[in-house]
Amino acid sequence: MFKKVLIANRGEIALRIHRACKEMGIQTVAIHSTADANAMHVRMADERVCIGPPPASQSYLSVPYIIAACEITGADAIHPGYGFLSENATFVQIVEDHGITFIGPSAAHIRLMGDKITAKDTMKGLGVPCVPGSDGGVATLDEARKVAASIGYPVIVKATAGGGGRGMKLARAASDMETAFTTARSEAKAAFGNDEVYLEKYLGAPRHIEIQVFGDGKGGAVHLGERDCSLQRRHQKVFEEAPSPVIDAKTRAKIGKVCSDAIARIKYSGAGTIEFLYERGEFYFIEMNTRLQVEHPVTEAIYDVDIVQEQIRVAAGHKMSFTQDDLVPNGHAIECRINAEKLPGFQPSPGRIATYYAPGGLGVRMDSAIYDGYTIPPYYDSLIGKLIVHARTRDLALARLRRALSELVVDGIDTTTPLFHALLDEPDIQKGKYTIHWLEEWLARETQ
Amino acid sequence: MDKSPQESDIAFIRALAELLRETDLTEIEVNREYGDDDVLTVRVARQITAAPVPVQVGVPTAPAAALPAPAGVPAAADPSDDPGLVASPMVGTVYLQGEPGSPPFVKVGDVVTEGQTILIIEAMKTMNQIPAPRPGRVKRILVEDGSPVEFGAPLIILE
C-alpha cells in the first residue's frame, strides 16, 4: 500500500481524497497555489507544498511542479481527482516515468477515451450501443451534409477533442449545417487546438444516464449501477440521483453488464463512468470519463462503498473489495451541487464566507471544504459543496433533501441553494419526469 | 570557578544548539533531573524554511504550527517581510553550488549583478539556474544545500 499520496487537486475533492487516505493510514501531501494556502484540505494534510501562483495553468496544471513536489516529499502515488490533469495522458506518462503511481487508468486508456471518435469506435467494437452518426471524423461540409442526410436531422456537430459538454453545435435542418459545421470547427480549434469534428444524431428528449464501472486492471470488472444526471445547465450537471427514476433492475443489469464486460475486455484499471443518452428505452453511448466523477457520492450511498479507497487499493495492486454479486443497491440517493453563484443569472460570487453551517442528521452527507471565515478565491470553478442525501425510497430522499437544504447556511456569498428549493416544489422533479432539456427550459420560463 | 546554575544551563543549551548544527538532526529534547527542585527540560529545533509544515490534526481553525527558530541564531526579522527577499519561483531541491565539491555560487557579502546565478533548483532531474532578479549584496542565505523548497519559499535576502 502507498505510504504517501500527493493530492493533485483542490477544493472539495481534495478533501475527499485526503479523508480516504487517512482512513487507510496513508500520509497525504497537499499541493496548492498561493490562493489556496488556507484551504481546508491543505490545513488537514500531513504535508503541504505551494506549487505556484493562482492561475491553474501555473499551479494545478503545472506538471513539472507537481512532479517536483512528489520528489521533495517522497510521495509514491498521485491522486488527480477530477478535472485538471485527471484525464491528461501525457501527465500520466510522465508520472509513471518518474516511478510514481498514478491512481487511475493507464495513459493508453485515457488517450483512447479522450478522443471521442476512437472512444466511440472502441465502444462500438465492444458491443456498447452508440448514437447513430458519422463513421469517424468529418472533414468537409459536403461530407457533413451527406452524413446528416443519411442519419436524419437534427444533427449535432461535435469536436473530437471536446467533452464535458463543450465543443458542440446543433443543426436542426439542412439549412443550419453550414453554420454549425464551420463554427464548430473554428471553436474546436480555439478551445482544444484540434478542429476535427464528427456528427451524431440529435436526440429530442433523452435523459443522461451514466454507468459507474470499476476495473482491477487485470480483466476483472464490475458495474455499480446508474446515475441519472439529466438536470443540467449549459451541459453542467446540477442535480444527480441514483438509481434513475426510469431504470428498473432488469435494465440496470443488462446495460451494466455490457459496460463492465467492455472495460474488462480492455483490462481497464480503476474507476470510470460510461455516459449514455437514454431515450425510448434505448441507450446511446456518448462518452467515457476515465476518472472519478463529481457525483460519485450518490453511488457510494446506495452501494455502501468508498470509491476513492477502491481506486487507491486497485492502483496499489490489491483486488477490488467487492464482486458483482456483492453490489446490491439499497435505497435512493440525491446530490445537489452548491455553487457560489448569484441567481437568477448564475454570476460567480466569490468572497468571504462569514458563517457556514452544514446540514446533518441521518442520511445527510455534505462534501465541502468551506468553513467560517474562508474566502472563496475567484480563480477556479464555483463549486463549493455537494449536498447528498440517502433514504430508503425516492420520496423519503426528496423529503430529506428539502429538510437538509433548509438547514444549510452559507452567509457572505450568494449560492445556488434557492434553485434546489424551487426544484423540489416542481411536480416533474417530484415524479422524476425530466430530460436533459428540462432545467434550461424551466430556467427560461422562470426568469421571464 | 563555579558557574551559577543559570550560566550552566545557558552553556548546556548552547552546546545542544551546536550539536544540532553539526549533525543532521532537526530537533533535540532533553529532560534533566538533578534533584527535586532542579529539573531542566530543553528543546532545540531547526527551522526548515520549506514545506512540510505539520498541521495540528483536528483543529481546523488553528493555523499550521511552525517549528521554532534554531537556538543560537541571532534574533532575525521574519524573512518574508524583508524587501530584499528573493523567493523561489519553483518547486524543487536547492543546490548552492554547481556540482558537489565546487565553490558555492554566492556567499554572504558578495555583490551580484542582475541575472547572475545565485543557486540551482533541481526538479525532474533538470538543474534550473536561479538568477538574481536585480543587482545587490547578498545579506543572508536562507536555505541549506540540498533542502526542498516550494513556490514562494524564501531563498536569499539581497540588499
Side-chain angles (χ1 to χ4, degrees):
Chain A
M1 183 42 68
F2 307 121
K3 299 246 170 348
K4 197 179 277 191
V5 166
L6 183 142
I7 302 166
N9 214 298
R10 60 174 303 281
E12 69 87 17
I13 198 62
L15 184 54
R16 170 81 189 85
I17 298 163
H18 164 82
R19 286 169 165 161
C21 289
K22 293 322 285 177
E23 287 180 13
M24 296 169 81
I26 299 173
Q27 297 280 291
T28 55
V29 178
I31 51 133
H32 63 93
S33 72
T34 51
D36 280 335
N38 286 318
M40 183 51 71
H41 82 284
V42 175
R43 301 167 89 162
M44 289 203 187
D46 296 298
E47 298 179 46
R48 54 189 293 165
V49 183
C50 180
I51 61 165
S57 57
Q58 294 168 54
S59 49
Y60 298 103
L61 295 170
S62 172
V63 174
Y65 293 177
I66 292 172
I67 303 288
C70 279
E71 288 177 345
I72 65 174
T73 56
D76 46 357
I78 295 180
H79 195 305
Y82 51 68
F84 290 130
L85 295 168
S86 61
E87 289 176 292
N88 186 314
T90 311
F91 174 61
V92 177
Q93 197 60 63
I94 296 173
V95 168
E96 301 279 340
D97 288 346
H98 279 78
I100 304 162
T101 305
F102 177 80
I103 299 172
S106 64
H109 286 154
I110 289 176
R111 212 170 274 128
L112 186 66
M113 298 304 171
D115 177 320
K116 302 308 162 201
I117 293 180
T118 61
K120 198 170 168 188
D121 284 343
T122 306
M123 286 304 186
K124 242 195 271 182
L126 292 166
V128 175
C130 294
V131 186
S134 63
D135 218 342
V138 167
T140 66
L141 180 55
D142 269 345
E143 207 188 325
R145 287 200 213 275
K146 266 203 219 93
V147 171
S150 71
I151 61 182
Y153 286 93
V155 158
I156 302 194
V157 186
K158 286 187 167 181
T160 302
R166 301 171 61 206
M168 312 191 329
K169 288 275 173 274
L170 174 64
R172 288 191 192 282
S175 48
D176 299 327
M177 181 50 88
E178 181 165 3
T179 315
F181 185 74
T182 45
T183 51
R185 289 190 66 169
S186 54
E187 284 187 21
K189 181 89 189 177
F192 314 115
N194 174 357
D195 68 355
E196 188 176 27
V197 295
Y198 62 107
L199 262 45
E200 273 185 357
K201 182 163 186 60
Y202 176 72
L203 299 171
R207 299 180 80 113
H208 173 116
I209 306 231
E210 56 189 40
I211 305 289
Q212 176 72 55
V213 290
F214 208 97
D216 64 7
K218 302 177 182 123
V222 299
H223 73 85
L224 291 101
E226 81 282 5
R227 291 183 288 261
D228 193 321
C229 310
S230 306
L231 292 173
Q232 300 179 16
R233 176 184 173 263
R234 298 194 181 172
H235 303 290
Q236 295 302 302
K237 299 164 186 169
V238 144
F239 176 109
E240 304 104 345
E241 54 182 314
S244 166
V246 301
I247 301 292
D248 61 20
K250 192 152 151 258
T251 311
R252 175 177 313 122
K254 185 158 170 241
I255 191 68
K257 184 166 193 318
V258 166
C259 290
S260 58
D261 282 351
I263 67 153
R265 203 101 58 84
I266 60 175
K267 295 197 169 56
Y268 186 83
S269 173
T273 296
I274 302 184
E275 299 193 330
F276 295 93
L277 291 177
Y278 177 77
E279 188 174 65
R280 285 193 258 269
E282 297 290 338
F283 285 93
Y284 301 97
F285 170 78
I286 37 173
E287 62 184 59
M288 177 173 182
N289 295 325
T290 51
R291 55 169 167 80
L292 184 69
Q293 303 243 133
V294 175
E295 59 274 18
H296 72 277
V298 294
T299 300
E300 291 185 321
I302 63 170
Y303 285 96
D304 195 14
V305 296
D306 185 323
I307 294 180
V308 178
Q309 286 195 9
E310 237 14 72
Q311 288 181 296
I312 297 170
R313 286 177 54 84
V314 159
H318 294 258
K319 288 174 12 162
M320 294 187 287
S321 311
F322 34 67
T323 62
Q324 192 64 63
D325 289 338
D326 295 326
L327 294 167
V328 179
N330 194 359
H332 200 98
I334 304 176
E335 172 183 280
C336 294
R337 297 196 192 185
I338 314 287
N339 286 345
E341 287 168 349
K342 185 173 168 60
L343 296 170
F346 295 90
Q347 296 96 333
S349 173
R352 188 175 171 277
I353 295 171
T355 310
Y356 171 61
Y357 182 80
L362 182 62
V364 175
R365 169 179 171 180
M366 186 74 194
D367 269 21
S368 174
I370 64 177
Y371 53 89
D372 273 17
Y374 175 66
T375 300
I376 297 177
Y379 309 98
Y380 313 111
D381 70 28
S382 55
L383 178 68
I384 56 166
K386 294 151 20 186
L387 172 54
I388 302 116
V389 298
H390 180 217
R392 286 171 144 268
T393 67
R394 189 171 186 274
D395 283 342
L396 289 174
L398 288 169
R400 182 155 286 162
L401 180 58
R402 188 189 287 272
R403 188 270 296 163
L405 278 168
S406 68
E407 290 176 11
L408 175 62
V409 175
V410 187
D411 261 355
I413 58 163
D414 291 300
T415 72
T416 50
T417 306
L419 170 66
F420 301 106
H421 281 293
L423 287 179
L424 286 172
D425 286 337
E426 288 292 327
D428 283 346
I429 303 299
Q430 289 164 4
K431 296 194 207 118
K433 281 177 49 139
Y434 51 78
T435 67
I436 61 172
H437 305 300
W438 193 97
L439 185 60
E440 293 205 325
E441 287 170 0
W442 181 82
L443 285 168
R445 283 196 306 270
E446 290 295 302
T447 53
Q448 254 159 29
Chain B
M1 215 205 51
D2 263 339
K3 286 187 191 157
S4 72
Q6 292 95 318
E7 285 173 337
S8 298
D9 288 345
I10 290 169
F12 177 62
I13 294 169
R14 274 202 210 285
L16 283 183
E18 212 30 65
L19 190 60
L20 192 73
R21 247 203 298 278
E22 285 167 21
T23 65
D24 275 340
L25 297 172
T26 50
E27 185 179 308
I28 301 176
E29 181 168 330
V30 175
N31 186 287
R32 227 181 47 182
E33 279 181 39
Y34 282 149
D36 275 340
D37 47 14
D38 189 2
V39 175
L40 176 68
T41 303
V42 184
R43 182 166 159 265
V44 294
R46 188 202 299 270
Q47 180 176 38
I48 297 171
T49 49
V53 175
V55 176
Q56 285 180 274
V57 170
V59 188
T61 49
L67 296 172
V73 169
D78 182 1
S80 54
D81 288 338
D82 195 309
L85 175 70
V86 176
S88 177
M90 58 180 286
V91 182
T93 305
V94 165
Y95 295 112
L96 298 177
Q97 66 282 319
E99 278 164 5
S102 24
F105 289 106
V106 296
K107 301 185 306 295
V108 172
D110 282 358
V111 171
V112 298
T113 55
E114 181 179 323
Q116 182 177 340
T117 299
I118 50 175
L119 43 81
I120 284 178
I121 297 182
E122 184 216 342
M124 292 175 70
K125 310 280 180 275
T126 317
M127 302 295 173
N128 302 274
Q129 301 196 336
I130 306 301
R134 54 185 176 275
R137 191 179 73 86
V138 177
K139 183 172 167 200
R140 282 173 70 190
I141 298 176
L142 301 164
V143 284
E144 307 215 338
D145 190 50
S147 61
V149 287
E150 60 179 1
F151 177 84
L155 296 177
I156 68 167
I157 310 262
L158 263 191
E159 278 182 330

